[in-house]
Amino acid sequence: MFTIFGFMACNPADNPSKKLSPDKFVQLPQYFSAENARIRTEGFSLFKTVTLNGKKDTAAIAGGDSAAVHDLLKPFMDVDLNKPSLRDEFDTSSLYDPFSGRRSVIYKSKGEQTRPAEITMELDKQGNIQLVNIHAYTTNMVYEFRQDLTYQRNRQIRSDTYQKIAFLAPKELQVNVTMAPKTGM
């Protein structure tokens, strides 16, 4: 009888410390995967401007071009604050606007070199993400990297990247994509 109770006490399925805890932060990879699919299926017109070290080029992108849309959203999809290695690396604060019902959520890194350093999200009164800003940087004696990503739902995708390696000229890359619903003919 004691053996049966002993086995029941050691059953890992009933051990609450072994159960997975819910995610602490918003699931940004899943959100941007869903936005990727939505942009492709709803047929947005995308207008892209790329500036590399002051030289500018523009192009139209078909909203259904899955590779182009995925590439634009990939840096956003790569941000996952729920990774075990980042679990306790961020402080969370939020601001609420009682007039509009909108809320801002800010995730700020506790460490100096954690990537990303800060994420700011604007949510509408229903709690839907409308704007995401991601700021990342790395710096040491040999290398400097800064990246600012902005996603404004149904309007804009923006990426500003600065990279400087010792003894080489710095590189600045800006990608700005405006989104517009397709108009019928």
Side-chain angles (χ1 to χ4, degrees):
M1 190 68 118
F2 288 115
T3 307
I4 293 172
F5 287 126
F7 283 123
M8 288 174 50
C10 293
N11 186 355
D14 294 333
N15 188 348
S17 65
K18 296 288 184 186
K19 291 182 181 176
L20 296 175
S21 61
D23 291 326
K24 187 174 180 180
F25 303 106
V26 170
Q27 290 284 342
L28 290 176
Q30 287 82 350
Y31 171 76
F32 284 106
S33 292
E35 287 295 286
N36 179 20
R38 187 182 68 80
I39 290 169
R40 287 191 338 256
T41 57
E42 291 183 10
F44 282 85
S45 295
L46 305 174
F47 302 97
K48 179 176 170 181
T49 303
V50 177
T51 306
L52 177 61
N53 293 331
K55 295 180 183 175
K56 188 182 284 191
D57 191 20
T58 60
I61 301 171
D65 184 349
S66 61
V69 174
H70 181 269
D71 290 345
L72 290 170
L73 294 177
K74 177 107 173 75
F76 295 92
M77 288 187 237
D78 290 342
V79 176
D80 185 4
L81 299 184
N82 291 303
K83 290 180 193 174
S85 62
L86 297 177
R87 176 80 64 208
D88 295 320
E89 295 296 320
F90 289 86
D91 287 325
T92 304
S93 60
S94 65
L95 304 167
Y96 176 73
D97 180 0
F99 298 108
S100 67
R102 296 177 69 90
R103 189 168 49 113
S104 298
V105 177
I106 302 163
Y107 301 137
K108 188 158 178 70
S109 169
K110 294 178 185 177
E112 290 183 23
Q113 295 289 322
T114 305
R115 190 164 175 201
E118 184 174 296
I119 298 173
T120 305
M121 295 183 301
E122 300 286 333
L123 292 84
D124 63 15
K125 61 184 172 184
Q126 289 81 24
N128 299 315
I129 297 173
Q130 298 300 309
L131 176 73
V132 177
N133 287 315
I134 300 171
H135 175 69
Y137 70 92
T138 302
T139 185
N140 59 41
M141 292 175 41
V142 179
Y143 179 73
E144 181 179 357
F145 172 83
R146 291 188 310 259
Q147 185 174 48
D148 289 302
L149 303 171
T150 302
Y151 178 78
Q152 189 174 14
R153 192 168 197 261
N154 298 333
R155 295 191 182 176
Q156 181 183 36
I157 303 168
R158 184 174 174 92
S159 172
D160 295 319
T161 306
Y162 173 86
Q163 180 176 331
K164 171 74 172 111
I165 300 172
F167 309 112
L168 297 175
K171 292 183 180 178
E172 292 185 64
L173 175 67
Q174 298 167 336
V175 178
N176 189 29
V177 177
T178 55
M179 295 187 279
K182 275 197 175 172
T183 56
M185 292 188 180

